Amino acid sequence: MPANPRLTRTLPAAKAGIVHFGPGAFFRAFGAIYTNDVMDPATDKWGIVAVSLKSPTARDQLMPQGGTYTAIERGPDGEKTQKINSIVDVLVAPEDPQAVLAQMADPAIEIVSLTITEKGYCYAPATKRLDQTNADIQHDISNLDAPRTAIGFIVSALNQRRQAGQKPFTLLSCDNLPSNGQLLRNLTLEFAKLVDPALAQWISTHAAFPSTMVDRITPATTQADIDRLAETENYVDLGCVVHEPFRQWVIEDNFVGARPNWEEAGAQIVANVDAHELMKLRCLNGTHSSLAYLGYLAGYELISETVADPSFAKLCHQMWQQEITPTLPTPEGEDLPAYCQALMERYENKAIKHRTWQIAMDGSQKLPQRLLGTVHDCLQMGHVPKGLSLAIAGWMRFVGGVDEKGQLIEVRDPMAAQLKHAYDAANNPAEKVLSLLAIHQIFEPQLTENQQFVSAVQAALSGLIHKGARQMVAELTQ
């Protein structure tokens, strides 16, 4: 029996109007689908040129297929597939930075969007300032014509546009960061000032940095997913992605020029995204990370398995009701209890194989916005959040690199070596907590100086080490 052919593009490629940094699974299962759903490939100008800052993987997956790939929606009621044609090219930045800059400098490009995860912004999570000690940032300041970072590419391309007398593009961050547009603006201006204060002034005056809130669970694609798709569709698609049915995209109405009509695909175009973003970061991402660390330590591989344990499901509800939603304003058009109940139903979706280990990656970058901001607000309200303290202790145990059975944990984090050293250098749980809390790139002094919070985390870590995650969660939710 002959092997299945590779998926290939059958629709014409649209003209490029968007450059996107970070063509990983999330963007392919989210932003690229929204764009695909509102574009006419034959006449539209909203084709996406995707840029990978490091790895050629996405290019090697997609370009033999003409950029086309399959989005696989998995819900409790079964599976649906959709071919996505919005990506028209994939560039690998280290191979040819000039090609990336030339594309970004093209006046046809109206939007430069990003899903590069927290660490891609090269900033200190605690201060939200540019990390000027970052070797790639230092390189880009001195070599603006051959940048390595997203911030470097943005400033270099905007510089070219300014010199050519062209308007800038809109910068659209689609990462899980609070006020992501404002953060990107601040980092871009901070970098630009180091290069040329006049350029920074021009960017400040003319460019736009709308904030967004993005939400869709997208587990990593496995070989089993590729094989299953080949069996059902009779083609091989190495670029396929898997996602849940739910999606939500809230976008601040702040663009320099044109944009796709994303609202026709269900995006919410609003005056202010902040309340939606805070709701999502704290309710979804906060409990997702909590389940990831504590669930992994308890031996659960998937989020759906973790919340099938009644104690872990109860922990989520307890955190939402007692610790998280009391710190939140209600966003326009939202019902916080209903939103949280819908989150639990999404977590329970067994068709989505979302691994606790995958969500646990890069915790040093995620903790401030997902957990620590909520802790800060709870403490300001005179309440020590026990659930969040246990989750932070779970992260500490996780980055220690050894699980409850004595097996090594593969910790993927830009600060992994520093975190493990801090954990191992201390002799007992209380000292381990103090050693990790002293890392000010993650923890701000207001938290580390609050003795009630410190004591709560110390008690939680001691319990995790001596009793284990399951027992600690069970005791907290009795």
Side-chain angles (χ1 to χ4, degrees):
M1 183 175 176
N4 287 323
R6 189 80 174 262
L7 174 65
T8 56
R9 176 181 287 275
T10 56
L11 293 175
K15 296 175 184 175
I18 299 171
V19 168
H20 179 81
F21 283 94
F26 177 75
F27 175 71
R28 280 184 259 168
F30 189 79
I33 297 181
Y34 271 97
T35 301
N36 181 86
D37 288 352
V38 300
M39 72 190 300
D40 177 352
T43 60
D44 215 328
K45 65 175 186 178
W46 295 116
I48 300 166
V49 176
V51 178
S52 174
L53 285 165
K54 295 191 181 295
S55 167
T57 301
R59 188 266 316 276
D60 296 344
Q61 290 172 341
L62 293 174
M63 290 321 293
Q65 306 176 179
T68 298
Y69 62 95
T70 311
I72 305 165
E73 176 183 299
R74 288 191 183 145
D77 300 328
E79 188 170 284
K80 301 175 186 175
T81 61
Q82 179 186 10
K83 289 180 184 173
I84 308 302
N85 295 285
S86 51
I87 295 177
V88 297
D89 199 4
V90 183
L91 303 177
V92 182
E95 294 179 3
D96 192 353
Q98 296 301 320
V100 177
L101 289 172
Q103 189 71 71
M104 297 172 74
D106 184 339
I109 299 300
E110 299 269 10
I111 296 167
V112 172
S113 55
L114 306 93
T115 50
I116 54 176
T117 74
E118 292 88 346
K119 62 185 175 184
Y121 290 81
C122 302
Y123 79 119
T127 64
K128 299 178 175 59
R129 297 290 301 274
L130 189 71
D131 181 5
Q132 295 185 31
T133 67
N134 181 291
D136 288 336
I137 289 292
Q138 291 178 345
H139 168 275
D140 287 1
I141 292 169
S142 303
N143 301 274
L144 200 61
D145 58 340
R148 294 174 181 168
T149 68
I151 300 293
F153 274 104
I154 287 166
V155 173
S156 183
L158 287 172
N159 188 46
Q160 289 188 27
R161 291 219 177 186
R162 172 172 169 256
Q163 291 174 343
Q166 298 165 356
K167 68 179 175 65
F169 37 71
T170 295
L171 277 302
L172 190 69
S173 170
C174 300
D175 281 294
N176 281 318
L177 295 160
S179 303
N180 53 15
Q182 186 62 49
L183 175 71
L184 179 57
R185 184 180 193 274
N186 292 345
L187 297 173
T188 300
L189 293 178
E190 191 175 348
F191 183 102
K193 283 177 186 173
L194 297 170
V195 174
D196 178 0
L199 172 61
Q201 184 59 50
W202 180 83
I203 294 171
S204 177
T205 303
H206 298 288
F209 297 80
S211 286
T212 66
M213 185 268 262
V214 299
D215 190 5
R216 171 168 264 181
I217 295 172
T218 54
T221 302
T222 66
Q223 186 60 48
D225 297 323
I226 295 169
D227 294 343
R228 179 172 166 180
L229 184 67
E231 288 179 17
T232 58
E233 302 294 333
N234 298 315
Y235 59 73
V236 174
D237 179 0
L238 300 184
C240 66
V241 291
V242 178
H243 60 77
E244 65 171 335
F246 179 92
R247 68 180 185 183
Q248 185 177 16
W249 196 8
V250 186
I251 308 170
E252 180 187 353
D253 191 5
N254 175 26
F255 287 76
V256 172
R259 62 167 176 80
N261 294 322
W262 285 313
E263 61 270 37
E264 293 178 6
Q268 298 161 255
I269 311 297
V270 301
N272 191 301
V273 175
D274 289 352
H276 290 88
E277 183 63 40
L278 197 63
M279 174 188 73
K280 189 254 177 171
L281 276 167
R282 295 188 175 186
C283 292
L284 185 148
N285 298 120
T287 54
H288 226 196
S289 288
S290 302
L291 291 171
Y293 296 116
L294 296 170
Y296 183 95
L297 293 172
Y300 295 123
E301 183 182 1
L302 304 175
I303 289 294
S304 58
E305 293 174 350
T306 308
V307 295
D309 181 324
S311 294
F312 280 82
K314 190 174 180 182
L315 175 67
C316 271
H317 287 294
Q318 199 165 290
M319 290 171 72
W320 283 324
Q321 292 165 8
Q322 299 176 12
E323 301 178 1
I324 297 175
T325 60
T327 71
L328 296 175
T330 300
E332 180 182 349
E334 297 286 354
D335 176 330
L336 288 174
Y339 179 79
C340 293
Q341 183 56 43
L343 286 181
M344 181 55 68
E345 292 169 9
R346 292 166 65 193
Y347 292 167
E348 292 169 344
N349 180 2
K350 292 183 173 63
I352 292 293
K353 310 295 184 186
H354 211 178
R355 297 173 64 196
T356 51
W357 176 80
Q358 180 193 357
I359 300 160
M361 290 181 189
D362 302 327
S364 68
Q365 313 297 294
K366 296 173 178 176
L367 244 63
Q369 53 269 12
R370 295 188 176 197
L371 298 176
L372 302 185
T374 316
V375 172
H376 176 273
D377 288 354
C378 285
L379 295 174
Q380 290 289 98
M381 297 162 70
H383 166 53
V384 179
K386 296 285 183 67
L388 288 164
S389 298
L390 180 61
I392 292 163
W395 168 78
M396 291 179 171
R397 180 84 200 264
F398 183 89
V399 300
V402 180
D403 70 14
E404 293 180 2
K405 296 180 179 178
Q407 301 297 311
L408 293 179
I409 301 171
E410 183 187 353
V411 179
R412 289 199 184 174
D413 191 292
M415 298 177 68
Q418 181 180 355
L419 297 171
K420 181 162 178 56
H421 180 266
Y423 187 90
D424 291 344
N427 295 319
N428 58 56
E431 291 178 4
K432 290 181 187 296
V433 169
L434 294 176
S435 182
L436 284 160
L437 289 179
I439 300 176
H440 294 306
Q441 296 101 308
I442 305 171
F443 297 96
E444 60 177 11
Q446 281 179 297
L447 287 182
T448 58
E449 293 167 5
N450 186 299
Q451 192 52 51
Q452 288 181 300
F453 167 67
V454 173
S455 297
V457 179
Q458 288 174 323
L461 182 60
S462 179
L464 288 174
I465 291 172
H466 295 112
K467 300 179 183 178
R470 289 194 197 192
Q471 186 172 338
M472 287 299 291
V473 172
E475 289 181 6
L476 189 60
T477 56
Q478 280 177 353

